[in-house]
């Protein structure tokens, strides 16, 4: 088993997420490691493609597609249950396992329940054309 085997849907890891606004200004590196949730892992011959959604403490603007994380889910995911947290879903980073400079084979922080995360993921799929992707693999 490699250190990357646990990277699957609903798992929370630390990752240097690059916001789309930063990427549009020409930045290429995430400013800090932050918790992200794995949306999808798609098997590919040259390395699995993974989509990551950022988790933030910053209250999203009203026009953003985001979901506040309930206390029980913060606990399951290994996140601080005493602060408000949101998953941002109108943008995401994509990366390729085995070709990324950003993955570390560290164990996950935690995991969201399927009952919480899968409806959110279905809504993302329905809205994906309006989401912004920042591709991180090189």
């Amino acid at each position: 088993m490699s250190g990357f085997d646990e990277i699957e849907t609903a798992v929370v890891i630390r990752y240097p997420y690059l916001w789309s606004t930063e990427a549009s200004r020409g930045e290429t590196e995430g400013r800090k490691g932050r918790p992200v949730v794995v949306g999808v892992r798609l098997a590919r011959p040259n390395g699995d493609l993974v989509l990551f959604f950022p988790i933030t403490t910053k209250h999203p603007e009203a026009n953003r597609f985001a979901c506040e994380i309930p206390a029980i889910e913060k606990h399951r995911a290994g996140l601080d249950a005493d602060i408000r947290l949101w998953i941002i879903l109108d943008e995401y980073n994509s990366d390729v396992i085995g070709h990324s400079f950003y993955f570390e084979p560290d164990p996950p922080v935690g995991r969201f329940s399927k009952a919480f995360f899968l409806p959110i993921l279905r809504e993302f799929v329905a809205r994906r054309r309006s989401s912004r992707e920042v591709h991180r693999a090189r």
Side-chain angles (χ1 to χ4, degrees):
M1 174 185 274
S2 81
F4 302 121
D5 290 342
E6 295 180 277
I7 296 175
E8 57 187 23
T9 299
V11 163
V12 175
I13 65 168
R14 292 201 65 80
Y15 179 82
Y17 188 85
L18 180 62
W19 294 95
S20 63
T21 54
E22 296 167 349
S24 69
R25 291 191 300 260
E27 295 182 41
T28 59
E29 304 300 318
R31 294 181 181 177
K32 66 178 183 177
R34 72 169 48 254
V36 297
V37 60
V38 176
V40 179
R41 179 175 178 167
L42 302 168
R44 300 284 163 90
N46 294 326
D48 293 358
L49 178 70
V50 183
L51 306 185
F52 295 113
F53 299 107
I55 296 172
T56 184
T57 59
K58 185 178 178 186
H59 193 288
E61 297 170 7
N63 64 340
R64 300 292 306 260
F65 173 28
C67 177
E68 187 167 7
I69 305 170
I72 188 69
E73 293 297 331
K74 288 187 272 190
H75 178 71
R76 287 181 178 129
L79 302 168
D80 187 342
D82 295 330
I83 58 175
R84 293 180 78 184
L85 295 169
W86 290 265
I87 303 169
I88 303 297
L89 295 142
D90 60 2
E91 69 171 77
Y92 60 94
N93 281 188
S94 62
D95 211 336
V96 178
I97 293 176
H99 297 280
S100 175
F101 295 116
Y102 308 107
F103 281 119
E104 296 293 333
D106 297 329
V109 174
R111 161 189 306 272
F112 292 123
S113 70
K114 288 182 180 180
F116 169 70
F117 192 69
L118 291 182
I120 295 168
L121 189 57
R122 281 198 274 302
E123 184 65 22
F124 163 76
V125 170
R127 298 182 186 203
R128 73 186 178 281
R129 289 190 187 348
S130 62
S131 295
R132 295 175 305 272
E133 176 184 14
V134 176
H135 187 69
R136 302 295 304 282
R138 296 180 189 214

